[in-house]
Amino acid sequence: HRSELLRAISHDLRGNFGVIQGALQLLGMAVSEAERSHMMDMVLRNVKQATGLLTDLLDYARLEAGQEQRSLAFMDAAQL
């Protein structure tokens, strides 16, 4: 499980950083404020997603190290 998780997160992070890099390169070529705004939105969205992935990875590492305990709770799936 651990290797699958690391592979999936690495793949997703690489994708996020690829989009960020491409958007930043295009940002320098943008000719309108609308294009610049669109590129910045892409960068910010992908930075947020990458930050979320890293947070999840750190949470997983803390669980694996026994520094945190899982908290399980019942929920009514019908309410979703």
Side-chain angles (χ1 to χ4, degrees):
H1 291 124
R2 184 181 304 167
S3 64
E4 292 174 20
L5 175 67
L6 292 175
R7 186 174 30 253
I9 289 178
S10 297
H11 177 269
D12 290 349
L13 283 171
R14 187 177 2 171
N16 287 131
F17 286 115
V19 171
I20 291 166
Q21 182 180 15
L24 289 174
Q25 289 172 344
L26 291 174
L27 186 62
M29 295 185 270
V31 294
S32 71
E33 188 57 38
E35 287 179 345
R36 280 189 281 279
S37 178
H38 178 69
M39 294 303 147
M40 285 303 299
D41 288 344
M42 286 176 52
V43 168
L44 292 173
R45 183 175 53 251
N46 279 275
V47 166
K48 184 177 179 178
Q49 289 173 351
T51 301
L53 286 169
L54 290 170
T55 299
D56 291 346
L57 186 58
L58 290 170
D59 289 346
Y60 178 74
R62 282 193 296 274
L63 283 170
E64 285 284 305
Q67 295 173 344
E68 287 189 21
Q69 299 297 318
R70 283 189 258 190
S71 174
L72 301 177
F74 290 99
M75 62 173 273
D76 183 2
Q79 290 181 351
L80 294 176

